[in-house]
Protein backbone atom coordinates (compact mmCIF):
# COMPACT_ATOMS: atom_id res chain seq x y z
CA UNK A 1 0.00 0.00 0.00
CA UNK A 2 1.25 3.51 -0.81
CA UNK A 3 2.25 5.90 1.94
CA UNK A 4 -0.28 8.40 3.22
CA UNK A 5 0.91 11.99 3.59
CA UNK A 6 0.02 15.58 4.38
CA UNK A 7 1.75 18.94 4.04
CA UNK A 8 2.44 21.42 6.82
CA UNK A 9 2.27 24.99 5.52
CA UNK A 10 2.06 28.50 6.90
CA UNK A 11 -0.19 30.42 4.53
CA UNK A 12 -2.68 33.21 4.98
CA UNK A 13 -5.66 33.80 2.71
CA UNK A 14 -5.00 37.33 1.40
CA UNK A 15 -8.72 37.90 0.79
CA UNK A 16 -9.52 37.12 4.45
CA UNK A 17 -6.86 39.65 5.58
CA UNK A 18 -8.39 42.17 3.18
CA UNK A 19 -11.85 41.52 4.62
CA UNK A 20 -10.57 41.89 8.20
CA UNK A 21 -8.82 45.13 7.25
CA UNK A 22 -11.98 46.53 5.64
CA UNK A 23 -14.10 45.57 8.66
CA UNK A 24 -11.57 47.18 11.01
CA UNK A 25 -11.56 50.34 8.87
CA UNK A 26 -15.35 50.50 8.97
CA UNK A 27 -15.44 50.04 12.77
CA UNK A 28 -12.73 52.69 13.26
CA UNK A 29 -14.65 55.20 11.12
CA UNK A 30 -17.87 54.61 13.11
CA UNK A 31 -16.66 54.28 16.69
CA UNK A 32 -17.06 57.30 18.97
CA UNK A 33 -13.65 56.91 20.67
CA UNK A 34 -11.91 57.19 17.28
CA UNK A 35 -13.64 60.43 16.22
CA UNK A 36 -11.21 63.29 15.65
CA UNK A 37 -8.01 61.35 16.35
CA UNK A 38 -7.04 60.74 12.73
CA UNK A 39 -7.24 56.97 13.17
CA UNK A 40 -6.92 54.92 10.00
CA UNK A 41 -5.85 51.52 8.73
CA UNK A 42 -4.92 50.66 5.14
CA UNK A 43 -2.56 48.68 2.91
CA UNK A 44 0.75 50.39 2.23
CA UNK A 45 2.41 48.21 -0.39
CA UNK A 46 2.81 44.76 1.18
CA UNK A 47 2.47 46.12 4.70
CA UNK A 48 -0.50 47.31 6.70
CA UNK A 49 -0.27 50.88 7.98
CA UNK A 50 -2.15 51.98 11.11
CA UNK A 51 -2.15 55.66 12.09
CA UNK A 52 -3.55 57.85 14.88
CA UNK A 53 -2.56 61.01 16.75
CA UNK A 54 -1.60 59.21 20.01
CA UNK A 55 0.20 56.02 20.92
CA UNK A 56 -2.84 54.68 22.83
CA UNK A 57 -5.17 55.27 19.87
CA UNK A 58 -2.85 53.58 17.36
CA UNK A 59 -2.57 50.57 19.71
CA UNK A 60 -6.38 50.52 19.90
CA UNK A 61 -6.51 50.43 16.06
CA UNK A 62 -4.16 47.42 16.19
CA UNK A 63 -6.44 45.73 18.76
CA UNK A 64 -9.49 46.25 16.54
CA UNK A 65 -7.61 44.78 13.55
CA UNK A 66 -6.42 41.78 15.60
CA UNK A 67 -9.97 41.05 16.77
CA UNK A 68 -11.19 41.13 13.14
CA UNK A 69 -8.40 38.72 12.11
CA UNK A 70 -9.41 36.30 14.87
CA UNK A 71 -13.06 36.44 13.81
CA UNK A 72 -12.00 35.56 10.25
CA UNK A 73 -10.00 32.55 11.45
CA UNK A 74 -6.51 33.97 10.89
CA UNK A 75 -3.89 33.21 13.53
CA UNK A 76 -2.27 36.26 15.14
CA UNK A 77 1.06 34.45 14.79
CA UNK A 78 0.88 35.37 11.09
CA UNK A 79 0.72 39.09 11.98
CA UNK A 80 4.06 40.75 12.64
CA UNK A 81 3.26 44.21 14.02
CA UNK A 82 6.02 46.67 14.82
CA UNK A 83 6.18 49.18 17.66
CA UNK A 84 4.36 52.52 17.42
CA UNK A 85 6.64 55.15 15.88
CA UNK A 86 6.23 58.90 16.03
CA UNK A 87 6.18 60.42 12.55
CA UNK A 88 5.55 64.15 12.59
CA UNK A 89 2.45 64.58 14.70
CA UNK A 90 1.16 61.04 14.14
CA UNK A 91 1.97 57.63 15.54
CA UNK A 92 2.25 54.80 13.03
CA UNK A 93 2.43 51.03 13.27
CA UNK A 94 3.54 48.95 10.31
CA UNK A 95 2.37 45.33 10.33
CA UNK A 96 3.34 42.52 8.02
CA UNK A 97 1.64 39.23 7.22
CA UNK A 98 4.16 36.38 7.58
CA UNK A 99 3.82 33.42 5.24
CA UNK A 100 5.89 30.32 4.66
CA UNK A 101 7.94 28.28 7.08
CA UNK A 102 11.60 29.30 7.26
CA UNK A 103 14.26 26.60 6.81
CA UNK A 104 15.23 26.94 10.47
CA UNK A 105 11.63 26.51 11.69
CA UNK A 106 11.00 23.64 9.25
CA UNK A 107 14.03 21.83 10.68
CA UNK A 108 12.69 22.35 14.23
CA UNK A 109 9.33 20.84 13.27
CA UNK A 110 10.97 17.91 11.43
CA UNK A 111 13.21 17.21 14.44
CA UNK A 112 10.21 17.30 16.77
CA UNK A 113 8.36 14.79 14.54
CA UNK A 114 11.44 12.50 14.46
CA UNK A 115 12.01 12.72 18.22
CA UNK A 116 8.48 12.66 19.63
CA UNK A 117 6.32 11.35 16.79
CA UNK A 118 5.47 7.72 16.06
CA UNK A 119 8.13 5.50 14.47
CA UNK A 120 8.03 5.20 10.69
CA UNK A 121 6.90 8.78 10.12
CA UNK A 122 9.08 10.74 7.70
CA UNK A 123 9.22 14.54 7.43
CA UNK A 124 10.84 16.24 4.43
CA UNK A 125 11.44 19.97 4.00
CA UNK A 126 10.18 21.13 0.59
CA UNK A 127 10.86 24.83 0.14
CA UNK A 128 8.60 26.73 2.55
CA UNK A 129 6.55 23.68 3.52
CA UNK A 130 6.99 20.28 5.10
CA UNK A 131 5.72 16.93 3.76
CA UNK A 132 4.99 14.29 6.39
CA UNK A 133 4.43 10.71 5.24
CA UNK A 134 3.78 7.34 6.84
CA UNK A 135 2.25 3.96 6.02
CA UNK A 136 -0.31 4.43 8.80
CA UNK A 137 -2.93 7.19 8.72
CA UNK A 138 -3.26 6.84 12.51
CA UNK A 139 0.40 7.84 12.85
CA UNK A 140 -0.27 10.93 10.72
CA UNK A 141 -3.20 11.85 12.96
CA UNK A 142 -0.90 11.46 15.98
CA UNK A 143 1.64 13.82 14.37
CA UNK A 144 -1.08 16.44 13.69
CA UNK A 145 -2.21 16.21 17.33
CA UNK A 146 1.40 16.48 18.54
CA UNK A 147 2.00 19.63 16.44
CA UNK A 148 -1.30 21.26 17.44
CA UNK A 149 -0.30 20.88 21.10
CA UNK A 150 3.04 22.65 20.51
CA UNK A 151 3.38 26.42 20.77
CA UNK A 152 5.36 27.58 17.76
CA UNK A 153 5.95 31.26 17.02
CA UNK A 154 4.44 30.81 13.53
CA UNK A 155 1.05 29.63 12.29
CA UNK A 156 0.65 26.08 10.95
CA UNK A 157 -1.98 24.60 8.66
CA UNK A 158 -2.31 20.99 7.56
CA UNK A 159 -3.24 20.48 3.88
CA UNK A 160 -3.27 17.77 1.17
CA UNK A 161 -4.10 14.97 3.58
CA UNK A 162 -4.21 11.80 1.50
Amino acid sequence: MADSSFDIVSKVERQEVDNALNQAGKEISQRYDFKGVGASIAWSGDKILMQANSEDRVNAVLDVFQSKLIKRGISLKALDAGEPQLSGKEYKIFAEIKEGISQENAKKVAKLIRDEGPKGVKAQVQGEELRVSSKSRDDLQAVITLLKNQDFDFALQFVNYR
Side-chain angles (χ1 to χ4, degrees), residues 10 26 29 48 59 74 79-80 98 110 127 148 155 158 160:
S10 181
K26 193 176 286 183
S29 70
I48 297 163
N59 282 325
I74 297 171
L79 180 70
D80 184 19
K98 295 186 292 189
K148 281 185 177 178
F158 307 102
N160 296 339

Side-chain angles (χ1 to χ4, degrees), residues 11-151:
K11 290 190 174 143
V12 176
E13 190 72 40
R14 173 87 179 196
Q15 186 61 50
E16 289 298 324
V17 175
D18 239 9
N19 292 342
L21 189 123
N22 291 336
Q23 288 176 343
K26 193 176 286 183
E27 182 172 325
I28 289 163
S29 70
Q30 293 173 348
R31 265 181 42 182
Y32 179 74
D33 58 336
F34 287 118
K35 294 279 188 241
V37 296
S40 68
I41 181 169
W43 284 106
S44 173
D46 286 351
K47 296 184 178 192
I48 297 163
L49 171 64
M50 292 161 262
Q51 303 181 87
N53 65 2
S54 74
E55 193 170 343
D56 292 341
R57 288 291 105 209
V58 79
N59 282 325
V61 171
L62 178 60
D63 287 345
V64 169
F65 182 54
Q66 287 175 334
S67 71
K68 299 302 178 190
L69 286 174
I70 291 169
K71 284 183 181 170
R72 303 216 57 92
I74 297 171
S75 171
L76 292 183
K77 292 178 182 177
L79 180 70
D80 184 19
E83 292 298 312
Q85 300 168 337
L86 184 61
S87 172
K89 291 183 177 180
E90 290 199 324
Y91 282 89
K92 295 181 178 185
I93 294 179
F94 284 99
E96 227 174 333
I97 301 297
K98 295 186 292 189
E99 288 193 301
I101 303 173
S102 70
Q103 289 291 331
E104 182 181 312
N105 289 333
K107 287 177 184 172
K108 281 185 205 170
V109 173
K111 182 174 178 358
L112 179 75
I113 291 170
R114 271 196 314 277
D115 295 348
E116 296 183 27
K119 298 287 179 241
V121 175
K122 296 185 284 289
Q124 300 169 302
V125 178
Q126 296 180 334
E128 291 189 337
E129 57 185 48
L130 216 66
R131 163 111 354 124
V132 180
S133 58
S134 172
K135 293 202 183 307
S136 163
R137 286 182 167 235
D138 291 339
D139 287 351
L140 293 179
Q141 291 289 340
V143 168
I144 289 174
T145 304
L146 169 74
L147 294 176
K148 281 185 177 178
N149 292 334
Q150 297 296 316
D151 186 29

